[in-house]
Amino acid sequence: MSFPEADSPSATAPGLAHGWTHGPSSLDASILEKTSVRSGHRSGYHVHVLVVGDNSRQLAGPLTRDLTQSFPNLCFDRIESAEDLALFFEGLDEEDHVLLGVATGEIEDVDALIDAARASSLMASTQWMLVTDQELHTDLAACTESGHLAAVVRFPWTVPLLSGQAYSTMRRYLEECGYCTYEILDLIQEPPSFAVQGPILEGLDLNEDQVVHELLDGVERVLGPRPRIRLPRGTHLLTQGHRVEAVHLVLEGTVSLHRDSRHGEVLAHLATSGPLIGLISLARGENAFFTALTTSEATVVRLTTEQLQIALTEDPSISTVLTALAIRSLTRRLMRAEDLHVENAMLAEDLERQKEELAATLEDLRATRAELVERARFAMLGELSAGIAHELNNPVTALLRAAGHLREDAEAVMASRAPEACRSALDCAMDSPPLSTARERELQKELLPILHDRSVIRQLIRAGLTDTAHARTLANDPAQLEAFQAGARLGGSLRSVLASGERIISLTQSLKGYARPDADDLKEVDVRRGIDDVLRLTSHRVHGIEVVCEYEDVPPILAHPAKLQQVWTNLIVNAAEAIEDEEADLKAQGQESAASEKKLPARGHAEARITITVANSSDGVEVCVCDNGPGISPQVLERIMEPHFTTKAGRVRFGLGMGMSIVHSIIADLGGQLTIDSHPGSTIMRILLPLHHVHEEES
């Protein structure tokens, strides 16, 4: 590169304003080369500072002059605009460094200038300063965001501030490039003596303990030695809302800051409050914003408002240290507040995620519960199949027996010489109401002297013959007697067929309640009919136990019939099993002990009984299932609603230990209530089913 001499201002390079501007010592590349040689590491490197501005507002020229005078060993180059960058780069080679770019307010778009300069590898990471006479700039967004704008200096500038800012910017650039201290001094020399250097506020470069002791030393220089105060843990230095009379300088120990809110006391800072307590509130003349509490044994120095004012007036340098300490404390609290804000945001995200997970878990639990209810229903069906088989056996046998006699009876009727007697006997056999055992015995005594054959008399009585005169007529006419007997047999067979068919239909309809899926809509259910169906299907389970039903006329409720069938089945079978288990245990004990030591069940000498009542209540329909079994112990009663809890101890029973849990869930889904009152000799399961569901569905 060739450089025109600085003392020849008329010499200009093509495209450059006033040429390459050097310091007053007429520096050229040879000087820089000598400087680099002295470093012993950067031989041949040329160090440049680029100033961009056309001096149309008298900024670029004076600025270049002042910087050149401040740094006589550097090469200062000035161009007019971004269009001249290409020519500037042509004059450089790979051994050149551009440490600093200085743009003036004479440039229309500073962002565009810096972007264009960064396109070259020689200025890709160069830092820039802006020296401007404008009050507002809108062309600094990109360089601010990228971090390439180091400083903004307002015209008119002061040389100490300008040179100090330029030196600091160049030094930071070289440090980021990996240069060590002595290499930096070889390249840019020491800063001018008049340049503003070092921290703006003394004490920020010291650690906190040093600042505290420096402040205390300054105060004691004015006020004399200050007594130390030793405070135990839990001492209030400030109380929220109370007047602040003094600040406390914490020499040893930790202090926490709390603030009361509508949700209670909130911990703002724990051992992060800093060593200066109460300064902000004292300076603002306001009551304490926080409550300050020592969290360990602490040593403090108390300084009142008057003492601080005297110390600051007598020694203004104390204010610098006090400000540095206040900034440190506030910075610590601000960082803690920011950390809390981040933690709260993260907790909120975790909370939202956990909320979603809980919602998914709840949905899984609902599905699992539905599956368990379905399994319990099928378990009930398996258990009830034995009862159904038992119940169906009797009517099917009756059907077969009646069908076997129908042909013979029909042939006898058709061959009869007295068809009217056959028809009369058939009608009586079909329609006559059943008689009690005592009444049948009375009629047999009355008819025995007339007909003489007990089997014939029983047959005629069951066919509806109750009149002794009619009996004498039949006895005197063998043909009519034979026809009446044939019609009676045919009517009895038909009556058995019809009764057996109705019984089978009744059983199958009762079973529908269990097989009906839960997905059906809610229906109006007659509680009494549902209980009768369950008793019909579970009659084999309550064999030997008297079942007493006491029903009032109650309105229907809105429910799933299948689920209510599960409720009644569980309660009735549980009551029967409790009685059976007690009797089995007593029988086992009787075999092991003497007869004189035989124990009675909890009901005493009373017969085993289950009482079912259905009654109206002010809140709906009340159903009670009461048994006189052994009762439920308090320990079991506390856990009886838990899923999979059972006391059946290996006995083969239906269900999965979910009986009472399912009962409770079904009743709760209907908005009802289940209460249990139990003691030896009496257990009452009381269920209240509301009616408002019906009204809501109708509305």
Side-chain angles (χ1 to χ4, degrees), residues 177-234:
C177 290
Y179 289 81
C180 61
T181 301
Y182 69 87
E183 290 176 323
I184 293 173
L185 293 177
D186 279 346
L187 289 173
I188 62 175
Q189 303 298 311
E190 291 283 357
S193 59
F194 52 80
V196 176
Q197 292 290 300
I200 299 174
L201 188 63
E202 295 293 337
L204 292 180
D205 56 338
L206 302 176
N207 63 49
E208 196 168 72
D209 290 338
Q210 291 174 324
V211 179
V212 168
H213 287 93
E214 188 172 335
L215 174 62
L216 185 58
D217 291 342
V219 171
E220 291 185 330
R221 283 197 304 270
V222 178
L223 303 178
R226 308 305 305 157
R228 276 58 169 169
I229 304 173
R230 180 64 57 86
L231 300 174
R233 182 176 182 272

Side-chain angles (χ1 to χ4, degrees), residues 222-223 282 304-315:
V222 178
L223 303 178
L282 183 65
T304 64
T305 306
E306 294 78 14
Q307 291 170 340
L308 269 179
Q309 185 174 358
I310 293 172
L312 294 174
T313 302
E314 295 292 331
D315 188 353

